[in-house]
Amino acid sequence: MTNQETVFSKIIRREIPADIVYEDELVLAFKDIAPQAPVHIVLIPKKPIPKLADATPEDHALMGHLLLKVKQIADEAGLDNGFRVVINNGEDGGQTVYHLHIHILGGRPMQWPPG
Ligand code: 5GP
């Protein structure tokens, strides 16, 4: 197990189950195990970048791919009335799983600012 090994790596390798909603060669999206909204999907790169601040210029195309997949996944989840995208980065950002991920939340109106 490397220091980049997380539960999300296990989901990528199908070692633990997840409700996968999208997959391609670069990214995976699955339903959050503790949903904070009627729709709560976690979108991850398969490359185990621990957090957003660890992405490098080498990840430029991957980061673009990841962001562009958000719309497709939100559309397929029926989030026609809008949605929220969240990336928690590091301790103060509230990150708990150190494998970069984008939360896609929808199906209810969101509050701003978040707590
Ligand atoms: P973070 O707090 O790091 O931004 O978000 C991690 C997210 O991963 C949380 O919303 C948490 O519910 C979700 N999560 C943690 N472990 C699992 C798991 O084993 N399966 C799934 N589907 N989601 C998980």
Side-chain angles (χ1 to χ4, degrees):
M1 197 185 243
T2 72
N3 62 358
Q4 293 185 330
E5 180 73 15
T6 69
V7 68
F8 291 173
S9 299
K10 293 186 186 351
I11 288 174
I12 292 169
R13 295 196 302 264
R14 307 302 204 267
E15 289 172 11
I16 62 170
D19 194 342
I20 292 169
V21 299
Y22 178 80
E23 180 171 25
D24 64 25
E25 70 280 14
L26 295 174
V27 306
L28 185 71
F30 48 90
K31 294 183 182 174
D32 197 291
I33 202 169
Q36 302 301 310
V39 174
H40 186 172
I41 294 167
V42 177
L43 170 61
I44 67 173
K46 290 185 174 176
K47 178 179 176 181
I49 300 166
K51 60 184 188 298
L52 181 65
D54 295 321
T56 70
E58 179 186 299
D59 302 312
H60 188 101
L62 175 59
M63 293 298 105
H65 183 76
L66 201 60
L67 268 186
L68 289 172
K69 282 297 161 189
V70 169
K71 174 190 156 42
Q72 179 185 338
I73 291 164
D75 283 350
E76 288 174 4
L79 299 179
D80 304 329
N81 205 42
F83 54 89
R84 177 163 292 169
V85 170
V86 173
I87 300 177
N88 295 327
N89 184 90
E91 192 174 345
D92 280 359
Q95 186 172 2
T96 59
V97 177
Y98 280 80
H99 182 129
L100 171 61
H101 52 281
I102 297 177
H103 296 266
I104 303 169
L105 298 135
R108 66 166 170 82
M110 300 291 156
Q111 306 302 312
W112 190 262

